[in-house]
Amino acid sequence: MEHQEIVYAPATIEFKEFGTYKKRAMEVADYIQSITLTEENVKEVKATLADARKLVNALEDRRKAIKKEVMKPYKTFEEQVKEITGIIDAARSE
C-alpha cells in the first residue's frame, strides 16, 4: 500500500506583522539591557515591562490557540491509526 488513501495538506500560518513585532521586541530588549533603574524612572521601567509582558502573553495565547486548531485533524488521524493498529496487535497476541 502506498497510502494514497491518506490525504495530507499542511496548514498555512501567516504572521504578517512578524518584522514589526520582532523590531519592537528588540527595541524593548535593548532598552531593558541599557537602563539603570533609579527612583526617577522606576514607573517608566515598570510600565515598559508590563507592556512587553502583555504583548508576549497575547502572542503566546494566539500561538497556543492556533496550535490547538492545527492539531485537531492530526489527533483524529492519530486515534484512527491507533485503533487500526490496536485491532491488529490484539489479533496477533491471541
Side-chain angles (χ1 to χ4, degrees), residues 9 13 22 26 28 33 52-54 57 77-78 83:
I13 301 169
K22 182 178 177 182
M26 292 172 73
V28 170
Q33 290 174 345
R53 177 56 43 207
K54 286 178 190 174
N57 289 342
F77 172 66
E78 181 180 44
E83 183 177 347

Side-chain angles (χ1 to χ4, degrees), residues 3 44 49 51 65 67 72 75 79 83-84 89 93:
H3 305 294
E44 176 188 347
L49 291 174
D51 288 344
K67 181 179 179 180
K72 279 182 182 178
K75 296 249 184 221
E79 290 168 6
E83 183 177 347
I84 292 168
D89 289 347
S93 65

